[in-house]
Amino acid sequence: LYRNTTLGNSLQESLDELIQSQQITPQLALQVLLQFDKAINSALAQRVRNRVNFRGSLNTYRFCDNVWTFVLNDVEFREVTELIKVDKVKIVACDGK
Amino acid sequence: MLYFEFEEPKLYRSVIEDVINDVRDIFLDDGVDEQVLMELKTVSWRKGRNGQQGTLINQKNMDPEKEHGANKIEEKKEDENVPVLWENKLMQSRAVDGFHSEEQQLLLQVQQQHQPQQQQHHHHHHHQQAQPQQTVPQQAQTQQVLIPASQQGQLDLFSYNFDMKFVILKVKTNTLAAAPQVIVPDSKLIQHMNASNMSAAATAATLALPAGVTPVQQILTNSGQLLQVVRAANGAQYIFQPQQSVVLQQQVIPQMQPGGVQAPVIQQVLAPLPGGISPQTGVIIQPQQILFTGNKTQVIPTTVAAPTPAQAQITATGQQQPQAQPAQQQTPLVLQVDGTGDTSSEEDEDEEEDYDDDEEEDKEKDGAEDGQVEEEPLNSEDDVSDEEGQELFDTENVVVCQYDKIHRSKNKWKFHLKDGIMNLNGRDYIFSKAIGDAEW
């Protein structure tokens, strides 16, 4: 799930570079990514402790394979310290249970 | 803002370290050198940071510092390549703050590891641990030099690195199989140099890194300059750094294997740039040729058989020396002849096809030509509106998370989300819980 984040993408790019330079095998890179999945999940669950509120208008919604995908417009993300406004945001959410 | 700025780098950092640690065992089982691991870490980190354009306050202060500190490696661990790459990429994304001080230490650590690892061939990590002790005196010098080198002492650093690298080269020639080990310090030093106005010494150090590595690496530095490390099959390694501080001073071609078929040709090319020289615009590396665009252009053949001619060529700075291999003096320009620039060819085709009769075809072609001509100005009028949107960012803001509960009443939606990573306007945010409302 978290592979398409800044962290995940940078890791994948680096792995691809190493694969191209023949330093690692694709199989090994896959193992690394699997390990990353575990690590990021546990890190998010353990280390992060903050809340965000948001409000906007729903453009599209999709629920397939227990994965919700929303596209919201003119959304305002509000945290205690700051406010972030975006015209368009895509939310991908997997089942958290 | 403050929360994110301070907490995110720690979180990302801890995630990277955890992943690298867990992956290390897998790497060792797979027979991959730990330097690769560190390289992955650093490159990945920097890529992640430079890819985006964060505007964190701390980050603004950190970025110039980081660049000045030349993308130093963060971790002090012995294992390398993977973490090095990862961190580099993450830093490039600029979504997270940097780790300035640790990078310096890590860079030094990497250099330390580089030398012993080269000697080790494919020794295991525990052997690697023993070896750093052997090269401590040299490393101590480099450590001490590297830090000031970023600011001053270009010549000093160069000399130190030169000696160090020369030794490495000697070792390397006998350890061609250990080529993969070279990559780690290369990337690090490259990052190191490119990120900041690295001194010539850093450039020399990077260049001096032993050859023998086949793959070609391209590392996009913080400044957006493309650094390419070419590793020829025969071990010739060239590193281009379009920086002002690049200094060409010496050329080292240790002919370690007399008449050796695979003798790695190691050449240190340092372009002396007295202050004020405009930075080189670009570098293009080809498998057999290396081109400098900008101030200095050099063509370095990667053939092993001719170390001396290569040496002669390298010494020339700002000159193009013809060699056995034809040298391209400029970046090959890619001219687009299709699409909008295809009108001439269409006309030619029309003329050619005229004799095929078919007035209809001619009419169609004419119509096409007219349409093409008309479409060009029409097309040019497109996209007048704001492409970037009101947010002035191209990033599609994405939130990746898990949902606790999604509720809907008529057209009123309520979202209960958790453990999410958000990328909004190019910046990264994290939350443990998020609650939202939207109307469809």
Side-chain angles (χ1 to χ4, degrees), chain A residues 2 14 17 23 50 58 97, chain B residues 44 47 404 419 430 439:
Chain A
Y2 298 100
S14 331
E17 282 185 12
Q23 286 179 277
N50 60 312
L58 188 63
K97 296 156 195 145
Chain B
S44 171
K47 272 191 180 180
D404 277 331
D419 295 339
I430 294 188
E439 201 171 300

Side-chain angles (χ1 to χ4, degrees), chain B residues 386-423:
Chain B
D386 187 4
E387 293 180 357
E388 296 176 351
Q390 298 175 2
E391 303 299 328
L392 300 181
F393 281 98
D394 285 337
T395 19
E396 178 180 335
N397 309 297
V398 179
V399 177
V400 187
C401 58
Q402 302 173 21
Y403 63 87
D404 277 331
K405 200 168 197 55
I406 305 291
H407 176 76
R408 176 192 68 84
S409 284
K410 297 253 170 112
N411 68 335
K412 301 286 186 283
W413 289 74
K414 290 195 195 305
F415 313 94
H416 292 254
L417 309 172
K418 68 177 182 184
D419 295 339
I421 300 180
M422 307 192 288
N423 184 282

Side-chain angles (χ1 to χ4, degrees), chain A residues 10-11 14 18, chain B residues 13 16-18 20-21 24 35-47 73-77 79-91 99 102 106 188:
Chain A
S10 54
L11 174 62
S14 331
L18 290 181
Chain B
R13 187 84 182 284
I16 290 181
E17 292 186 8
D18 290 342
I20 295 302
N21 282 332
R24 183 177 300 122
Q35 279 184 342
V36 179
L37 191 68
M38 280 310 291
E39 186 178 353
L40 173 66
K41 174 175 176 288
T42 303
V43 173
S44 171
W45 186 262
R46 296 183 196 283
K47 272 191 180 180
I73 313 279
E74 298 181 2
E75 258 185 87
K76 298 180 182 181
K77 293 181 183 177
D79 33 316
E80 333 258 306
N81 293 349
V82 169
V84 170
L85 276 172
W86 197 2
E87 288 172 1
N88 287 340
K89 289 179 190 285
L90 203 55
M91 281 178 50
F99 301 86
E102 292 178 348
L106 188 58
K188 289 178 183 174

